[in-house]
Amino acid sequence: AVFLGDASPTAESHAAFVNGIAHESGANYTMVVNAAVRSYHRGKGIPTGSPDAIRMPQPMPKFLDDAQLEAIMQAAKTPLEKAIVTVLFESGVRARELLGVRWADVDLKEGFMRVTRKGGRAQDVPIYDGSVSALRSLARSAGKNGLVFPMTYNRLYYLLNALGKKA
């Protein structure tokens, strides 16, 4: 038996399959198909036989629903806490990327901030009205090296964990 079936897959059959299953399952299916395509492009061919022939991706991360996010926003009391939660949620940047942002990297008027992604690549990330407002509420103090969020990764982790427990 061939993993992808005996028939050649089409865009229509892929869409019909993904639309007929739960969101998380559809995302996992898409990641497995993408892994097979990457394997093919690396010259290894499409794995056949068992689905175990493809290295499964990491499990899908859990996301907050609107009520959970609202509870965390209510638990955030200081302007710094509110800015952290708002910018993380609205921009989708990683915690380490957030902690590396300096005031010189933030353009509140144009609505973007420059972050250093994994691998050292800089990227301009849009920030929306909530983030702009939250950042404006912070004193534009010259924190350590001009950092917007002058704290360690561990401090940020414990802060977010505490907000989650309060919520």
Side-chain angles (χ1 to χ4, degrees), residues 64-77 85 162-167:
L64 299 175
D65 62 29
D66 290 340
Q68 291 169 321
L69 179 63
E70 184 60 34
I72 289 174
M73 287 299 293
Q74 294 299 321
K77 299 297 181 199
V85 172
L163 290 174
K165 286 180 181 177
K166 284 183 194 176

Side-chain angles (χ1 to χ4, degrees), residues 43-55:
K44 297 179 182 176
I46 301 278
T48 59
S50 165
D52 297 332
I54 295 179
R55 193 187 92 221

Side-chain angles (χ1 to χ4, degrees), residues 50-96:
S50 165
D52 297 332
I54 295 179
R55 193 187 92 221
M56 287 299 291
Q58 295 293 323
M60 292 291 292
K62 295 187 190 251
F63 298 98
L64 299 175
D65 62 29
D66 290 340
Q68 291 169 321
L69 179 63
E70 184 60 34
I72 289 174
M73 287 299 293
Q74 294 299 321
K77 299 297 181 199
T78 69
L80 179 64
E81 291 172 349
K82 291 178 183 185
I84 288 170
V85 172
T86 304
V87 174
L88 281 173
F89 171 72
E90 287 188 353
S91 69
V93 298
R94 293 176 176 93
R96 290 219 186 265

Side-chain angles (χ1 to χ4, degrees), residues 3-4 9 14 28-48 53-55:
F3 172 60
L4 294 176
H14 171 76
N28 285 335
Y29 169 80
T30 301
M31 287 190 295
V32 169
V33 170
N34 287 340
V37 170
R38 282 192 306 276
S39 175
Y40 175 79
H41 284 291
R42 284 190 219 117
K44 297 179 182 176
I46 301 278
T48 59
I54 295 179
R55 193 187 92 221

Side-chain angles (χ1 to χ4, degrees), residues 98-159:
L98 180 77
L99 294 176
V101 174
R102 292 172 168 42
W103 282 112
D105 301 328
V106 179
D107 186 339
L108 296 175
K109 186 175 181 181
E110 296 297 321
F112 74 88
M113 66 181 177
R114 177 159 291 167
V115 298
T116 303
R117 295 287 189 182
K118 282 182 156 182
R121 181 178 52 92
Q123 181 179 2
D124 290 339
V125 175
I127 52 175
Y128 301 100
D129 293 340
S131 295
V132 170
S133 176
L135 289 169
R136 279 196 175 121
S137 72
L138 291 178
R140 206 171 169 109
S141 61
K144 182 180 176 187
N145 297 326
L147 294 171
V148 177
F149 303 103
M151 64 179 61
T152 65
Y153 179 82
N154 284 341
R155 168 91 169 91
L156 177 63
Y157 175 84
Y158 287 113
L159 173 84

